Amino acid sequence: MSERISVIENIMNANDHLADDNHARLDQAGVFAVNLMASPGAGKTSLIEQTLPRLAEKLRIGVVDGDIATSLDADRAAAAGARASVQINTGGECHLDAVMLQQALNQLDLTDLDLLIVENVGNLVCPASFKLGTHKSILVASIAEGDDKPYKYPGMYRGVDALVINKIDLLPYIEFDMEYFRKGVEVLNPGLVIFELSCRTAEGLEPWLEWLAVQAQSGK
Ligand code: MG
Ligand code: ZN
């Protein structure tokens, strides 16, 4: 094994170890956490904005927002009614890692939360490799990105527990072959839970909300 590979392995091992710590800490506090991943502009923040007010009566929800430079998304989460929202500026890093989530957890009163939504940095590559310690990974895809994404980013599609296909209101205007897209997903991640919805029109939100609430209430 080359020096370089062993250095990378050590980094990943350290990250996984810390992710396990985060996981134990969330479990102990009774907080169910999801890692929300997507490419930039797919609608992670919009999905959070649509989700928060609709689940606010059932669940106390906190948001951790990873961003390369700004706090715009955390501000939007706070405006949408997050019980607490923490911004992590990654300082140019294109993904969140377990240390960053640990620092965010330090800023939250976990006893005051049932569900923690972690919005990862918009990127379909490395977020898939860095465990955070969350309970479920959710990928947000969007019609606007095109129907070839499962074929181009297999690592991301393979590792997630649920897939939200956002912007279905654009289907009449964009060449997007849903069957081709879903076939690509099925090969990589057979039986994956998939929600087709539009954050703009709110069409299709109900099954997603129901699933998330059930996960949060029973999946810890
Ligand atoms: Mg965002
Ligand atoms: Zn990265």
Side-chain angles (χ1 to χ4, degrees):
M1 192 194 303
S2 76
E3 281 286 297
R4 184 168 158 70
I5 288 175
S6 65
V7 168
I8 292 171
E9 265 186 7
N10 285 341
I11 293 171
M12 297 313 284
N13 285 343
N15 185 77
D16 283 1
H17 189 80
L18 208 54
D20 291 344
D21 288 351
N22 289 341
H23 193 89
R25 195 167 159 191
L26 290 161
D27 276 348
Q28 205 165 23
V31 179
F32 183 80
V34 296
N35 179 9
L36 204 56
M37 297 178 283
S39 62
K44 295 185 298 302
T45 311
S46 300
L47 185 64
I48 290 170
E49 282 178 323
Q50 294 300 325
T51 300
L52 287 180
R54 290 176 169 85
L55 289 183
E57 267 174 39
K58 278 188 198 162
L59 299 167
R60 301 168 297 168
I61 307 173
V63 176
V64 170
D65 245 294
D67 217 295
I68 292 176
T70 70
S71 67
L72 294 173
D73 289 353
D75 297 343
R76 282 171 66 183
R83 209 160 165 101
S85 80
V86 174
Q87 181 70 38
I88 306 173
N89 281 327
T90 64
E93 281 288 343
C94 47
H95 58 267
L96 292 181
D97 61 26
V99 182
M100 296 180 204
L101 181 59
Q102 184 189 49
Q103 287 163 354
L105 296 182
N106 290 342
Q107 295 176 54
L108 289 165
D109 176 7
L110 294 179
T111 62
D112 190 47
L113 298 178
D114 303 305
L115 170 65
L116 183 65
I117 302 177
V118 181
E119 181 180 346
N120 215 310
V121 180
N123 176 351
L124 288 180
V125 186
C126 33
S129 312
F130 286 84
K131 272 174 53 179
L132 302 179
T134 48
H135 297 83
K136 297 273 179 197
S137 295
I138 298 162
L139 175 61
V140 184
S142 84
I143 299 302
E145 289 165 70
D147 52 22
D148 60 354
K149 290 302 167 288
Y151 302 91
K152 286 190 165 174
Y153 300 96
M156 176 59 79
Y157 279 83
R158 209 177 270 131
V160 294
D161 304 300
L163 171 66
V164 171
I165 306 174
N166 187 23
K167 308 191 189 183
I168 56 166
D169 54 301
L170 295 181
L171 277 170
Y173 313 105
I174 290 178
E175 239 173 86
F176 184 99
D177 184 340
M178 186 64 86
E179 208 178 306
Y180 174 70
F181 177 89
R182 290 186 71 136
K183 205 193 282 174
V185 174
E186 180 61 25
V187 168
L188 295 166
N189 198 330
L192 181 65
V193 182
I194 299 177
F195 304 99
E196 295 182 18
L197 55 82
S198 164
C199 288
R200 196 176 68 86
T201 66
E203 184 189 352
L205 274 176
E206 222 29 71
W208 151 254
L209 296 169
E210 227 164 85
W211 179 84
L212 185 60
V214 168
Q215 297 297 315
Q217 283 159 346
S218 64
K220 283 181 269 204

